[in-house]
Amino acid sequence: MPDTSTGSTGNTARPSRRAVLAATAGLTAALTVPANARAATPDDHRLRALISRMTLEEKVGQLFVMRVYGHSATAPDQPDVDANLKEIGVRTAAELIARYRVGGIIYFSWAHNTRDPHQIADLSNGIQKASLDQPRGLPVLIATDQEHGAVCRVGKPATLFPGAMAIGAGGSRADARALGRISGAELRAMGINQDYSPDADVNVNPANPVIGVRSFGADPEAVAGLVAAEVKGYQSSRVAATAKHFPGHGDTAVDSHYGFPVITHSRELWETLDAVPFRAAIRAGIDSVMTAHIQFPALDDSGDPATLSHPILTGILRGELGYDGVVITDSLGMEGVRTKYGDDRVPVLALKAGVDQLLNPPSLDVAWHAVLKAVQEGELTEARLDESILRVLRLKARLGLLDRVYVSRSGVDRTVGTRAHLAAADRIAERTTTLLVNEDGLLPLDRRTEPRVLVVGADPASPSGTTGPPTGVLAAALTELGFTATALSTGTAPSAATVDKAVAAAGDADAVVVATYNVTAGSSQRTLVDRLLATGRPIVAVAVRNPYDVAQLTSVKACLATYCWTDVELRAAARVIAGRVSPRGKLPVPVQRADDPARVLYPIGHGLTYGR
């Protein structure tokens, strides 16, 4: 089965997060938020009446959000039919809904759900029709991970924005809100009504392999402000935003897709660091909160993951933080939630802990029957299911799904990837590019004196729906800006022969731009940069993922950070390199010295400009 998680980015090892914790100490105090329990809505009588007419089996189904292969709800391609039969035991999304009465569907690009906006809208309509055609049929929450940046399921021609850490570098709550509003409008036009975004984790561990640039940064108050702004943006477009991953996944060196992370923060540190953005999201009226498959002993010493923890989800999230919206698990196919219990126990324990939606179990049949059996045998009460179903139905009602669920192709054409939306994404990206080093005024390059530019470096697989590869995008953007730019991909681990080829090509260039990606002490990317520097040509390093690369490249005289390698961020970097715009981004995380991680090389807030 492919990776069914809600986002993995696979960062490589970085300096100790303790240096980051030290660097961010004193930036914030606990954010005191009054309890914000969601009041009963006027629709509650209507919703309770709907619940009273459901069968037990229908109630169980409403709790699940499931993947399904195919571009169509009723007529997917044969390979997708085969995949559905193998993993779910049904042929199509329509059959999935008929058999299990699921309350939600999650879209993935690898499941062939997101080919193009018209197809997505048709799929969404087909799913809604399949559900509404059932006895006592209800609308479906259709969700995806549209975080932007490194994790994005719907690609071009939809508008793609900079990712969270880039937005953190821009520091503009107005930009974060505009991102949510525009992205939400486009998702809603395609029939997607729940987005598993924003990431509310405070990334204080440079070695974090799963969050990293998906976080707005390392300052909890700054992260909180951007989280709240993005939440308001999405929800103003009637798309449910989702703050993740509660109680905070920002300080781990283990990826919960493949292992079981342990967060060693004290309760006091959690209050002043991890909890701050979640409190802000709750104050902003967040529609849903996603759990983390992490062990957090200071909050629950049982050894259970937070997803299955009653003290964390009911005691803290619902009780202390006053949250009464929808709580959804992260993918139940991830190793972090499967380490301690079997797949039949996990969904039952999650519901007992206080979860409302069960996301993407490895086997829906096993999970669905386990919940049904738990109710039949008295481990779970039907009233407990009703509590969660009421929250889910309240969400569907707030989104207007009980009154109007279908979308139109004309609505897609009016909304998705419009010129105004694309221009807004470009403007926002220009405010995020961060100039870390610029010795001797090497930047901006001058197309009159340095017309020939060679672009070399890492070409990681592009995030969903972007053009790529990065070197090609940068070269094309520089060419459009008046340079004669050529691209030479050297990869994330260039061989000696590849380095020689790049050095030879640099001989015909007036300047070289080198894209770096997760540079480590032993990386041959360092060798490439050093050899290029030895040519005497002006060398501009562009860290296309983690800004920490600059600590490994101390000899370069110019270095930019883009925080992701999507087209919109790379084009903005090209405009900065060419001097069309001045860099405005500021580091949202500290960068430690490579030779002494206890010392900060560049603090939060560092960022140069051209002074004009």
Side-chain angles (χ1 to χ4, degrees), residues 388-579:
S388 287
I389 295 167
L390 180 59
R391 292 191 187 102
V392 172
L393 290 182
R394 281 176 178 167
L395 176 53
K396 292 179 179 182
R398 281 198 305 279
L399 296 174
L401 299 179
L402 298 183
D403 303 309
R404 182 174 179 271
V405 297
Y406 296 115
V407 295
S408 67
R409 289 193 163 209
S410 61
V412 168
D413 294 336
R414 288 193 305 270
T415 309
V416 178
T418 65
R419 183 174 299 178
H421 288 177
L422 295 173
D426 281 335
R427 289 194 301 270
I428 289 171
E430 287 177 354
R431 294 189 278 269
T432 69
T433 307
T434 307
L435 181 60
L436 301 174
V437 180
N438 193 27
E439 295 180 14
D440 303 325
L442 191 152
L443 287 174
L445 298 181
D446 190 325
R447 65 183 181 179
R448 294 165 297 184
T449 58
E450 299 153 319
R452 298 172 300 171
V453 178
L454 173 67
V455 182
V456 303
D459 269 336
S462 289
S464 298
T466 60
T467 303
T471 56
V473 174
L474 279 169
L478 289 169
T479 296
E480 290 176 6
L481 293 166
F483 295 87
T484 301
T486 56
L488 174 62
S489 176
T490 52
T492 56
S495 66
T498 300
V499 172
D500 288 342
K501 184 177 180 181
V503 170
D508 296 323
D510 301 305
V512 180
V513 174
V514 55
T516 67
Y517 183 94
N518 289 3
V519 180
T520 60
S523 171
S524 57
Q525 292 182 66
R526 290 184 65 185
T527 304
L528 170 67
V529 173
D530 289 341
R531 290 281 307 281
L532 290 169
L533 286 167
T535 67
R537 298 290 191 273
I539 306 298
V540 180
V542 181
V544 299
R545 183 175 184 153
N546 288 315
Y548 313 114
D549 286 5
V550 67
Q552 300 289 349
L553 306 172
T554 54
S555 296
V556 298
K557 292 190 175 182
C559 184
L560 294 166
T562 67
Y563 309 97
C564 200
W565 58 108
T566 52
D567 299 355
V568 69
E569 288 154 307
L570 296 174
R571 290 195 307 265
R575 292 193 291 277
V576 169
I577 291 169

